[in-house]
Structure formats: C-alpha cells, structure tokens
Amino acid sequence: MVNYIWVFMTIVGIIFGLINGTMEAVTKAVFDGAKEAVTLCIGLISVLVFWLGMMRIAEESGLLEKLSKLFRPLVKILFPDVPHKHPALGYILSNMISNMFGLGNAATPLGIKAMEELKKLNGGKNEASRSMVTFLAINTASITIIPTTVIAIRMNYHSASPTEIVVPTIIATILSAIGAVMIDRYFYYRRSRKGR
Amino acid sequence: MELISYISLTFIPLLIGFILLYGTFKRVPTYESFVEGGKEGIKIAVSIIPFLVGMLVAISIFRASGALDALMNWIRPLMKTMGVPAEIVPLLIIRPISGTAALGMTSDLIAVNGPDSFIGRLASVLQGSTDTTFYVLTVYFGAVGIKKMGDALKVGLLADVVGIIVSIIIVAFIFGTN
C-alpha cells in the first residue's frame, strides 16, 4: 500500500504541475524535500545518541524490566505475542510514557528501539509483525496527557484558559487509542482468517 | 494544572538523574554503557535517511504542485455536510503527513479564530489526539528495515480518523460549537 501511495503522490503531483504550470515549484520541491529529510535525520542524531545511551543504562540495570513488570496486565492484552520478560516491552512502555508527557524527541528513539526488538522476535524478517502493527496503531493514536506545545501556542494568543483543552485532549486521546486497538484487532483477525 | 506543567518540566532531568543513580547502585559501568548505546543512535539515524528522503520528496511534490490544495477543495464540501467547519479541513489532511506543517496550521487557526473559539479549541485538541502517521511509519519501520508494512498504514490512518471524529464530538459536547 505504501508503494501505491508513494507513487500516487509523486505522479499526481507531477501531472498537476504540468496542468497548473507549477513545474518549477515541483522541481524545487524535489530538492527541498530531500534536503529537509537529511536535515531531519541529522537533527535526530543528537536525541538518538543521548536517549539510546541512557536507555542502555536503564536496560543493563534492570530498570526497563521493572517497568514492564509494573504494567504486565496491560501489556499482556495489547501484545500477546511478546514474551513477558522480553526487553521489547520495556522500550514499548517507555515510548508510551514519553508520548503521554508530550516528550516527542525522547519517544522516537525508544520507539525505534522497541521496533528493533520486535523485529528480532519476528526472526529478523523485513515484514511487519502483528505486534509491530499494534505498536504503530497505539503510537499514531498517541495517548497524550500534557499537550505542551499546544498550551504554549494558546498562551501566546492570550487564551482566557490555555489549559482548558487538557481534559478534552485526554478523553479524546484515550477514546481514539481504544478505537485504534479495536481497528488493529479487526485487521489482525481478518488477516488470520485469510490464513496469512 | 500548575502541578502537571511542573511535572512535565522536571520530568526529563529527574528521569536522567534517576537512571544514572539506579545504574550506579546496580554497579552498571554507566559511562561505558552510555557510549555503547549511543553508538547505535548514529547508525539508526543514518539508516533512516533513504526512507525519509523518499517520503518527504513525494510529499513536497504533492504539496508544491497544488495537488494538495485541489484535494482539499474537493473534500471540503463533503466535510461541511458532516458539520466540520471548512477552516479545519486542511489541518485534517495535513496532520498525518507533516507534523511541522500541522503545527503551523494549528497556530494559524488559533491566531485567526482566537484560542477560545470552536475552531481554536478543536485545532488544539486535534493536535494532541492525532499523530504524523506517515512520519512515525517511515522513521520506525525505516530504522529497522521493515519493507513490507502489512496493514500498518491502513490501521494508522484509520486510527487518525477515529481521533478526528472523537475530537470533534468531544469539543462540541464540552464547549459548544461557538
């Protein structure tokens, strides 16, 4: 599906550029997009190095295992495929907690690390496993407790109550996370019925 | 509320302190472990580059050509009949594609309509309850070399749709539609 969407965006964009006479902008977009991607990755190096370094200490000291023990019931329901002492769970939970506090740049390295562990569990295949899809679904529904950036923007524009959106955000985010897990389950059962 | 913002402000430094103290207590060679773990970070960041270049180039072509605007104009009337204000539609479409663009739009919507309007509040809640699905997918799967995504994209985008619908209902219910 990604293949199709990727080609679709590019081809439709080029055709539109031809019709609208925006070919110059399209050409510029190619190089701007590529540059932005590399800048983004280089920017990621700092956070990745720092948090993966910290997390290595947390893993070796047994902190991550403690964390997954604490949330075992929840994790068992969400990720039935992952053995309960597996390091993937510690990373998944740390990623979820970072997301809850709106710490996006701490969350990304942990999410990547979790994916890596899940891939090992899946025998190193280059195909997404059931747990990987579930983990992504939870991530895109992203349980948020404190939308820090949004509060800052609201303050900037002199809202009478910048934080009034916190409770609605928490409710919306919990409901959408439940929705995401249900959608994920639906696709999983459809897959297994087809025998894939 | 003060307490919550205080927690989020002090969370990272306290977490760092705690990990280091706990590691020392458990006799982990802290500095060496940190360096070893950190090395992995460089490898990962570099390995994401091709995935992200591919995705971001496609997205910028789609946007720069005017195709994205056309898509929005096409979807807008449809959304309006469902009670979604036309102003919010571009944000809904851009949100799964680009986090920075969505944040820019949110702050623009808040600036134009006021933070305490229906649109301002809805944009605020949407920002928290949805995510940049394409980015998350590209970065997470790219980093570990997953090429066959299976149902991940479908599930991620549908999760965003659920987030959008739920946000609209909740904001309308709690604050009204003014």
Side-chain angles (χ1 to χ4, degrees):
Chain A
M1 192 184 175
V2 187
N3 291 321
Y4 292 121
I5 290 184
W6 190 60
V7 173
F8 172 85
M9 285 196 293
T10 312
I11 300 299
V12 170
I14 293 170
I15 294 170
F16 249 86
L18 276 173
I19 299 170
N20 284 357
T22 49
M23 260 337 213
E24 207 186 317
V26 170
T27 311
K28 197 172 167 286
V30 174
F31 299 107
D32 284 352
K35 198 174 161 190
E36 195 193 326
V38 175
T39 316
L40 212 65
C41 288
I42 300 298
L44 265 179
I45 290 182
S46 56
V47 253
L48 278 170
V49 169
F50 182 74
W51 283 108
L52 291 186
M54 274 295 149
M55 282 305 136
R56 178 65 68 92
I57 300 173
E59 195 188 342
E60 283 178 12
S61 61
L63 210 55
L64 282 182
E65 207 187 308
K66 274 225 163 84
L67 185 70
S68 39
K69 238 182 221 158
L70 204 66
F71 288 92
R72 190 171 294 167
L74 174 76
V75 165
K76 237 180 166 169
I77 300 169
L78 289 176
F79 300 96
D81 284 5
V82 183
H84 65 249
K85 271 203 163 166
H86 200 273
L89 294 179
Y91 287 116
I92 290 174
L93 285 166
S94 324
N95 167 274
M96 283 167 82
I97 291 168
S98 312
N99 266 332
M100 283 182 196
F101 286 93
L103 308 172
N105 51 14
T108 310
L110 297 170
I112 292 173
K113 200 66 201 161
M115 280 295 174
E116 218 168 54
E117 294 295 336
L118 290 177
K119 191 184 176 184
K120 278 186 210 158
L121 256 183
N122 199 28
K125 283 184 224 150
N126 67 357
E127 220 168 306
S129 68
R130 173 190 183 178
S131 307
M132 289 179 183
V133 178
T134 308
F135 179 51
L136 268 175
I138 296 171
N139 237 287
T140 48
S142 69
I143 302 173
T144 313
I145 295 177
I146 310 148
T148 350
T149 329
V150 175
I151 293 173
I153 294 174
R154 295 175 59 82
M155 278 170 148
N156 231 349
Y157 291 105
H158 312 292
S159 166
S161 170
T163 50
E164 68 179 4
I165 48 100
V166 171
V167 173
T169 302
I170 294 173
I171 300 172
T173 207
I174 290 172
L175 289 177
S176 69
I178 293 171
V181 172
M182 280 162 56
I183 291 167
D184 169 57
R185 285 294 126 104
Y186 168 74
F187 276 98
Y188 171 71
Y189 288 119
R190 217 181 61 161
R191 266 201 313 272
S192 42
R193 260 212 315 276
K194 277 187 193 162
R196 272 194 290 148
Chain B
M1 213 72 276
E2 300 260 295
L3 183 73
I4 293 178
S5 56
Y6 183 73
I7 290 173
S8 63
L9 209 70
T10 48
F11 186 77
I12 287 188
L14 288 182
L15 181 69
I16 294 169
F18 181 69
I19 291 173
L20 289 179
L21 283 177
Y22 193 84
T24 310
F25 179 69
K26 290 275 172 182
R27 298 184 182 279
V28 172
T30 44
Y31 185 65
E32 288 151 42
S33 299
F34 176 81
V35 173
E36 276 313 306
K39 275 185 195 162
E40 248 178 274
I42 302 176
K43 262 205 320 242
I44 291 174
V46 173
S47 66
I48 306 171
I49 292 177
F51 293 89
L52 217 52
V53 168
M55 202 43 88
L56 286 191
V57 167
I59 289 168
S60 10
I61 290 177
F62 194 66
R63 196 165 46 193
S65 65
L68 185 63
D69 290 328
L71 180 71
M72 280 179 208
N73 287 330
W74 193 64
I75 290 179
R76 208 169 272 161
L78 191 85
M79 300 289 259
K80 220 174 170 182
T81 54
M82 294 192 294
V84 182
E87 294 91 328
I88 212 102
V89 174
L91 176 65
L92 300 184
I93 294 172
I94 213 85
R95 183 68 182 127
I97 301 177
S98 165
T100 40
L103 197 62
M105 275 185 190
T106 296
S107 93
D108 185 58
L109 283 172
I110 289 175
V112 173
N113 299 283
D116 302 325
S117 63
F118 177 60
I119 291 170
R121 284 168 176 151
L122 183 56
S124 308
V125 173
L126 276 172
Q127 196 66 38
S129 64
T130 50
D131 209 332
T132 318
T133 306
F134 277 90
Y135 174 81
V136 173
L137 218 69
T138 312
V139 170
Y140 284 15
F141 279 171
V144 297
I146 296 292
K147 283 167 191 126
K148 289 183 187 150
M149 296 194 184
D151 292 328
L153 186 61
K154 260 178 277 179
V155 173
L157 289 178
L158 282 172
D160 276 336
V161 172
V162 173
I164 290 167
I165 295 171
V166 165
S167 301
I168 294 172
I169 295 171
I170 287 173
V171 173
F173 183 75
I174 293 181
F175 300 111
T177 50
N178 289 315

